[in-house]
Amino acid sequence: MKGQRYVLANFKMNKNTGEIKKWADQILQLLYKRHEKIRVRIGVAPSFPHILTAKSLFYGTDIMVGAQNMYYEEKGAFTGEVSVSQLKDIGVDFVIIGHSERRKIFKEDNELIEKKLISAIRYGIIPVLCIGETLEEREKGLTEKVIDEQLKAVEKIPDEMTEIDLVIAYEPVWAIGTGIPAKPDHIAEVINKIKNKLKNKFPKISVLYGGSIDENVAKEIRHVCDGGLVGSSSLDAQKFFKIAENFQT
Ligand code: PEP
């Protein structure tokens, strides 16, 4: 058993309904123009108000639609939150958990992220757990320690849940939105460590890279990871599609 290859678009807090329709249209045209099936699973995570629109635009295709966040409780007095069961109800395929922007701006800690991770798994939504060190941590030689700490959430997943599709996105914080991707050697080293640590417990694990991916980066790193989580370059459908094609092995 092996994890699948994924190329996932994280729109963050960008795009309105019209822009999403145009993006979906372009992606579908590019897909239909190909002579053979693309060998990566493509997904897109728009903002909450656009998830249903994206679901209907990609209905009947293999394109996955995800959410950028969720709350772990099923329902209740949590004003402003969107629950895991609400995401399940509208057919969300995957959910990004612990993105560095949520850790930093919204002060999400490993304890909260662990609850979200386990809750997503219980509801059968593919979790895309983001981990990665800051520049300061990297400069202090703490990368491995930080990753180990962030992976404790995964180690706490109960044994009866380990047959799931688990997606980890290694996203060094210093590479996100900076135009400076990590070097392939660095990505390979960290991703190998993550895989060696988790592959026995999670046979269907996929480890993606994220951080300033463009089409050249995708081509360069396609053999050292199982795909990518793409921010800025995903906003342009042509660029995103090229990235997805370049991640094929
Ligand atoms: C991200 O935010 O997950 C990301 C990878 O962003 P960017 O591609 O813009 O670096």
Side-chain angles (χ1 to χ4, degrees):
M1 232 186 301
K2 218 175 147 222
Q4 308 198 46
R5 297 183 72 72
Y6 296 90
V7 180
L8 306 175
N10 173 12
F11 281 174
K12 311 196 182 189
M13 204 171 66
N14 293 298
K15 292 203 188 288
N16 57 30
T17 310
E19 289 165 339
I20 289 183
K21 284 187 176 150
K22 194 169 160 204
W23 189 92
D25 231 39
Q26 289 175 322
I27 294 287
L28 291 175
Q29 276 183 30
L30 289 161
L31 261 183
Y32 296 142
K33 258 196 239 157
R34 283 178 55 86
H35 297 299
E36 42 177 75
K37 212 166 171 234
I38 191 156
R39 297 185 307 281
V40 292
R41 294 200 73 187
I42 295 180
V44 56
S47 303
F48 287 127
H50 300 123
I51 290 178
L52 272 181
T53 304
K55 281 296 293 182
S56 67
L57 290 165
F58 290 119
Y59 183 77
T61 73
D62 291 336
I63 309 264
M64 302 162 71
V65 177
Q68 298 172 20
N69 184 28
M70 54 164 260
Y71 196 59
Y72 63 86
E73 293 281 4
E74 189 182 308
K75 59 181 170 184
F78 303 100
T79 302
E81 291 295 312
V82 175
S83 80
V84 61
S85 59
Q86 290 169 323
L87 294 185
K88 187 69 187 173
D89 181 46
I90 59 168
V92 159
D93 302 297
F94 69 94
V95 58
I96 299 174
I97 293 173
H99 190 280
S100 65
E101 285 149 19
R102 297 221 54 92
R103 291 179 191 261
K104 181 163 178 245
I105 306 168
F106 302 100
K107 312 283 178 248
E108 291 196 6
D109 58 17
N110 284 337
E111 202 184 316
L112 175 65
I113 289 164
E114 180 190 316
K115 287 184 177 150
K116 292 185 180 194
L117 179 71
I118 292 177
S119 180
I121 297 170
R122 278 193 204 289
Y123 275 83
I125 300 175
I126 299 174
V128 179
L129 175 70
C130 299
I131 57 171
E133 79 285 4
T134 63
L135 184 58
E136 198 188 344
E137 289 161 345
R138 182 187 180 215
E139 283 171 352
K140 286 185 183 157
L142 294 174
T143 301
E144 197 170 341
K145 190 162 174 264
V146 171
I147 301 276
D148 280 349
E149 198 56 40
Q150 292 171 338
L151 284 179
K152 283 194 178 141
V154 175
E155 286 161 24
K156 290 192 190 140
I157 296 173
D159 284 347
E160 69 274 14
M161 292 181 171
T162 51
E163 287 298 314
I164 51 149
D165 290 301
L166 173 66
V167 184
I168 309 270
Y170 169 54
E171 301 206 302
V173 180
W174 46 271
I176 295 180
T178 57
I180 308 168
K183 297 265 184 303
D185 284 356
H186 174 83
I187 299 172
E189 190 188 326
V190 178
I191 286 187
N192 281 339
K193 277 189 186 146
I194 298 171
K195 283 209 159 170
N196 287 336
K197 201 178 163 91
L198 298 173
K199 70 177 183 219
N200 289 337
K201 186 167 172 187
F202 300 95
K204 291 198 289 169
I205 190 173
S206 305
V207 188
L208 318 184
Y209 166 75
S212 298
I213 295 176
D214 62 17
E215 54 187 86
N216 298 324
V217 174
K219 196 166 233 164
E220 244 187 329
I221 66 169
R222 68 189 189 280
H223 292 295
V224 306
C225 58
D226 302 313
L229 179 56
V230 190
S232 328
S233 299
S234 75
L235 297 175
D236 179 312
Q238 320 265 359
K239 278 191 195 161
F240 177 68
F241 197 77
K242 191 82 209 144
I243 288 172
E245 288 189 314
N246 285 359
F247 261 119
Q248 296 176 107
T249 49

